[in-house]
Amino acid sequence: MQLDLNLLIALDALLEEESVGGAAARLHLSAPAMSRTLGRIRRALGDPVLVRAGRTMVPTPRAVALRAEVRALVRRAQALLAPEGEPDLSTLDRTFTVQANDAVVASIGGPLLAAAHAAAPHVTLRMRAETPADTADLREGRVDLEIGVIGEPAPEIRREFLLADRIMGVVRADHPLASGRMTPARFAAGLHLVTSRRGRLSGPIDTALAELGLTRRVLAAAPTYATSLLLLPGTDLIGSIAGRLCRPAVAALGLVTFPLPLELPALEISQAWHPRYDADGAHRWLRGLVAQVFSDLA
């Protein structure tokens, strides 16, 4: 027999009202339509369900026995199909995988973890490093949220702008470039260290220099910003970093930054997620928390 869940809703109304007319009004149906539905319920259960007793109708023993279970099933179905409310953060027990480069983690990781733990003490944030190549991890659910310079994601991926940053030069405090007027030629003349998770030896800086007829000598490439910054003290290397994101690490290592004398595109930091999480209350909370932490950097 084919299951019709509408019969369950109708049965709940009939048992609550003990009246075909009352059940019809409750479900916004006509009395004849409810009478036909009652007939279908009787055939399905093999029981009269409601029987005439004078001018009223009374439930059969089988109907009385079913009343509580039917009501519970209907309420449960209504709860499942209702829009999700805001999560109870005090009891939320969930692990979120967040993919970001080390500059993002070093910059906002501490404030984000502190804020998340204060609001939702049972939530765990698994920070995952960027991969050398773009992946389908967001689409396939291995990553809940990606933070960084998001290129052209898959068409369905959602993206929210968080912060505009700029590329800055960075050197040890007593480096020759730490003082004096900076020019493109002076900048290009030094030995350079680039940061690239893919191991690339050139990028936007080289494009901008080429437009001025200049080239630079890249001595090495490092896979992360942290590695790059740790290589600079005690050397003549010139690094390039995201100015706002790397500010805490630069200060901790006693390095100094300077604006590059070049026209470079801004670094647009965003967060990205799969639309399966659009209506997920806990995921919405995490995205809001990330946006708030980034707004404090502005």
Side-chain angles (χ1 to χ4, degrees):
M1 181 182 67
Q2 186 175 3
L3 180 63
D4 186 350
L5 292 180
N6 287 322
L7 295 183
L8 194 65
I9 297 171
L11 178 58
D12 179 55
L14 286 164
L15 295 179
E16 180 75 18
E17 300 292 336
E18 295 186 1
S19 163
V20 171
R26 180 172 169 179
L27 298 181
H28 307 289
L29 298 173
S30 67
M34 182 54 73
S35 293
R36 290 192 294 272
T37 300
L38 176 56
R40 293 175 61 197
I41 292 172
R42 285 169 169 168
R43 289 192 294 274
L45 291 177
D47 186 88
V49 182
L50 291 176
V51 296
R52 182 70 59 184
R55 295 186 176 182
T56 63
M57 301 191 79
V58 295
T60 64
R62 174 82 188 281
V64 171
L66 290 174
R67 192 197 308 263
E69 186 174 359
V70 168
R71 182 171 299 170
L73 287 171
V74 170
R75 299 299 181 271
R76 177 60 178 154
Q78 290 171 336
L80 285 172
L81 295 175
E84 183 183 30
E86 295 302 315
D88 182 353
L89 297 179
S90 65
T91 60
L92 180 63
D93 187 358
R94 187 159 164 183
T95 297
F96 294 99
T97 299
V98 179
Q99 180 169 289
N101 67 32
D102 61 315
V104 171
V105 174
S107 178
I108 62 99
L112 180 62
L113 291 174
H117 183 70
H122 303 292
V123 162
T124 299
L125 297 182
R126 180 192 290 121
M127 301 294 189
R128 198 177 96 160
E130 285 184 318
T131 55
D134 294 332
T135 68
D137 287 345
L138 282 176
R139 174 183 288 172
E140 296 174 5
R142 290 187 291 270
V143 170
D144 298 301
L145 192 66
E146 182 178 358
I147 306 173
V149 178
I150 312 294
E152 287 298 324
E156 75 274 18
I157 297 300
R158 305 284 196 261
R159 181 168 51 172
E160 178 187 4
F161 171 80
L162 296 170
L163 180 76
D165 208 342
R166 60 184 299 192
I167 301 175
M168 301 280 288
V170 58
V171 293
R172 56 182 168 82
D174 58 348
H175 192 283
L177 292 187
S179 60
R181 180 173 175 268
M182 184 63 61
T183 66
R186 187 181 178 212
F187 171 72
L191 289 175
H192 291 260
L193 172 68
V194 301
T195 303
S196 172
R197 57 180 169 143
R198 296 180 174 91
R200 293 174 177 169
L201 296 175
S202 63
I205 290 177
D206 300 278
T207 301
L209 286 172
E211 292 175 353
L212 299 175
L214 298 170
T215 59
R216 62 175 177 165
R217 170 71 171 99
V218 174
L219 184 65
T224 66
Y225 284 103
T227 305
S228 291
L229 292 175
L230 289 171
L231 288 172
L232 294 179
T235 75
D236 287 331
L237 290 172
I238 306 164
S240 53
I241 58 167
R244 287 181 177 177
L245 289 181
C246 292
R247 188 182 299 154
V250 167
L253 292 171
L255 302 171
V256 295
T257 61
F258 57 89
L260 296 183
L262 302 169
E263 293 292 330
L264 295 172
L267 299 174
E268 295 191 351
I269 312 299
S270 303
Q271 58 179 337
W273 66 94
H274 192 274
R276 68 166 66 89
Y277 295 122
D278 276 349
D280 184 297
H283 200 280
R284 285 199 311 270
W285 163 76
L286 177 61
R287 300 196 305 264
L289 202 60
V290 168
Q292 179 58 53
V293 171
F294 267 93
S295 72
D296 293 340
L297 291 178

